[in-house]
Amino acid sequence: MAFLHILYFYKHTAFLCALLFFEATLNYCQGQVQSSRGMDFWLGYGAHAAMFNSNGTVNNSTGGTQELRLYLQSSVSANVTISMPATGWSQTVTVNNVNDQVVIPKTGPSDARLTGEGVFNGGIHISSDQPIAAYAHINDASGSSATLLAPFEILEQEYYAIGYTQAAKENNSFSYCFVVATEDSTTVEVIPSADTKGHPAHVPFTQFLRKGQVLNLVGKTTGSSGGIISGTDLTGTYIHTVSAGKDTFCKKLAVFSGSSNTLISCNGQGTGDNLFQQALPSRAWGVSFVTVPTVGMGINYYRVFTGGTQTAVTVNGIPLTGIVNGMYYEFKTDKAAEIKATAPVVVAQYISSAGACGNTGLGNKGDPDMVFLCPMDLRIGVVTYFTPALKNITENYINVVVNTTVVDSFNRN
């Protein structure tokens, strides 16, 4: 078994594992095999603080300084169409190696941005005639986050949102989660874990969606003190399809969570950044994980999400205690760690704000980010990594974790 963990750091921006193009298989109880490559993907344009004017209104003139850019990778020539079925927008590109030229509209009738709570028509569909790996990157000059996209084949009908504590210095900062309907006549039930702008915590509600529509939830602002604006954390929000007639229970969903801007700080100091990750289907949860400290900013936070089960979790053999809201354990460390669980869990790793939590090795470089770690039973055979040459992305780092038996044979070319 070999596990490969790739990490990138950039000046003013940071994200983990987000640009990892790989051949990987997910083995799960039914004995089937699935891959992170596919020919069909769905996503949405998560919120970024740069989408808004200083008075809190949505910037509809330019759409904001941020961009949602797609990275598409194929080892053979692939014809890929990116579209928004609910608006009619589409673009077709050829992918041979890596294509990073697709930028999603942020103004006009095909504006895909999710700027508030409610139903939007901005669901984005990626369709290819060859298997590809797909990633989405929301960035501006000082805020950046990216996520691996899961192909339609491994999507499921139920998910939990996982984010982080919401506390920011900037206005227009809030946690969010959203669900993209990948099929027509989809009815979802949502149980928010905390108050959103339009829905109280723990009160279920349902929403009907057409193919390509998005239901977006925005965390409620809870207060402001000492220059820090606080809001609810939507970690633990439960989203699943419900029956509304024949065959409607099995409609697949694509669920994402994050923040338009937040600090990840021990003392309220440092810089904020956006967070953006696609929720993992249950078949990608695992019971064994290896963590790696981030270069120059080694003190990382971790959340081990159990989904409300009575799952016991150890870190380097020491049991974790103090489960939060009955849903997850949180800890921080600057050491490599082995996480073991008695049932499948999700592990999120968080980079802290620049200069915060004793992380001074990179000076003012690096910003908050989160990534969901790959379980150890996710086998990786081939990896291609790509570093975008966008503004303020000036330094790149890679961390690799493999079994000691294969270190000497590791091919670095």
Side-chain angles (χ1 to χ4, degrees), residues 17-304:
C17 280
L19 302 179
L20 174 59
F21 301 129
F22 59 87
E23 300 281 0
T25 58
L26 305 178
N27 300 308
Y28 52 104
C29 59
Q30 291 89 341
Q32 302 177 32
V33 176
Q34 298 287 354
S35 171
S36 60
R37 290 183 177 272
M39 300 168 67
D40 193 333
F41 303 82
W42 288 88
L43 71 149
Y45 197 151
H48 192 295
M51 295 176 178
F52 302 89
N53 299 312
S54 59
N55 63 0
T57 60
V58 178
N59 183 339
N60 289 321
S61 59
T62 67
T65 57
Q66 85 299 325
E67 290 183 341
L68 170 54
R69 184 181 295 269
L70 302 182
Y71 303 118
L72 309 171
Q73 190 273 341
S74 177
S75 56
V76 298
S77 181
N79 298 306
V80 182
T81 298
I82 304 92
S83 64
M84 284 186 273
T87 70
W89 176 86
S90 69
Q91 178 180 351
T92 299
V93 297
T94 299
V95 178
N96 195 346
N97 195 12
V98 177
N99 185 302
D100 63 346
Q101 299 304 304
V102 179
V103 178
I104 302 301
K106 59 184 179 180
T107 59
S110 292
D111 181 356
R113 298 172 302 160
L114 303 175
T115 54
E117 183 155 302
V119 176
F120 292 77
N121 289 326
I124 302 160
H125 185 215
I126 302 170
S127 178
S128 175
D129 64 357
Q130 299 290 334
I132 61 172
Y135 293 77
H137 183 192
I138 302 176
N139 75 289
D140 78 342
S142 59
S144 176
S145 190
T147 182
L148 166 71
L149 300 178
F152 178 83
E153 289 79 6
I154 67 171
L155 296 182
E156 296 177 352
Q157 290 79 32
E158 62 175 350
Y159 294 89
Y160 287 96
I162 301 175
Y164 197 71
T165 303
Q166 181 60 40
K169 295 178 180 178
E170 290 191 36
N171 293 324
N172 314 308
S173 298
F174 49 82
S175 61
Y176 66 79
C177 64
F178 63 84
V179 54
V180 184
T182 68
E183 303 176 77
D184 272 328
S185 301
T186 297
T187 301
V188 297
E189 180 181 68
V190 180
I191 306 177
S193 63
D195 290 343
T196 75
K197 287 192 173 181
H199 296 277
H202 313 304
V203 178
F205 70 95
T206 60
Q207 178 66 55
F208 177 84
L209 297 170
R210 299 190 305 273
K211 184 176 182 178
Q213 287 192 313
V214 183
L215 172 63
N216 190 48
L217 298 181
V218 172
K220 183 178 180 180
T221 299
T222 56
S224 178
S225 177
I228 303 296
I229 302 168
S230 300
T232 55
D233 174 3
L234 298 182
T235 295
T237 294
Y238 179 57
I239 301 170
H240 69 123
T241 54
V242 294
S243 179
K246 184 179 179 181
D247 299 327
T248 58
F249 178 77
C250 294
K251 304 292 186 179
K252 292 184 176 184
L253 307 173
V255 173
F256 294 75
S257 56
S259 172
S260 62
N261 181 276
T262 193
L263 298 166
I264 299 179
S265 176
C266 304
N267 53 11
Q269 300 301 311
T271 54
D273 212 339
N274 60 312
L275 306 178
F276 178 49
Q277 284 292 319
Q278 182 166 6
L280 295 178
S282 62
R283 66 191 69 178
W285 294 29
V287 297
S288 178
F289 300 81
V290 170
T291 72
V292 180
T294 51
V295 178
M297 299 177 68
I299 301 174
N300 297 144
Y301 283 89
Y302 297 87
R303 284 185 175 181
V304 182

Side-chain angles (χ1 to χ4, degrees), residues 295-316:
V295 178
M297 299 177 68
I299 301 174
N300 297 144
Y301 283 89
Y302 297 87
R303 284 185 175 181
V304 182
F305 186 82
T306 69
T309 64
Q310 299 299 311
T311 302
V313 180
T314 61
V315 177
N316 293 335

Side-chain angles (χ1 to χ4, degrees), residues 233-406:
D233 174 3
L234 298 182
T235 295
T237 294
Y238 179 57
I239 301 170
H240 69 123
T241 54
V242 294
S243 179
K246 184 179 179 181
D247 299 327
T248 58
F249 178 77
C250 294
K251 304 292 186 179
K252 292 184 176 184
L253 307 173
V255 173
F256 294 75
S257 56
S259 172
S260 62
N261 181 276
T262 193
L263 298 166
I264 299 179
S265 176
C266 304
N267 53 11
Q269 300 301 311
T271 54
D273 212 339
N274 60 312
L275 306 178
F276 178 49
Q277 284 292 319
Q278 182 166 6
L280 295 178
S282 62
R283 66 191 69 178
W285 294 29
V287 297
S288 178
F289 300 81
V290 170
T291 72
V292 180
T294 51
V295 178
M297 299 177 68
I299 301 174
N300 297 144
Y301 283 89
Y302 297 87
R303 284 185 175 181
V304 182
F305 186 82
T306 69
T309 64
Q310 299 299 311
T311 302
V313 180
T314 61
V315 177
N316 293 335
I318 301 173
L320 291 178
T321 59
I323 192 166
V324 180
N325 298 329
M327 287 286 184
Y328 63 90
Y329 299 96
E330 182 170 323
F331 69 96
K332 65 178 179 178
T333 182
D334 62 351
K335 303 292 191 300
E338 183 180 29
I339 299 172
K340 295 282 191 179
T342 56
V345 297
V346 176
V347 177
Q349 181 172 354
Y350 302 86
I351 304 175
S352 67
S353 301
C357 305
N359 287 324
T360 58
L362 295 179
N364 67 343
K365 299 175 183 177
D367 271 339
D369 201 15
M370 73 172 180
V371 65
F372 299 137
L373 299 186
C374 308
M376 286 295 289
D377 59 356
L378 193 158
R379 293 168 176 83
I380 296 175
V382 178
V383 174
T384 301
Y385 60 92
F386 167 75
T387 56
L390 300 177
K391 184 176 181 180
N392 286 343
I393 298 178
T394 59
E395 298 185 25
N396 308 288
Y397 299 86
I398 176 171
N399 284 1
V400 180
V401 178
V402 298
N403 283 9
T404 55
T405 55
V406 299

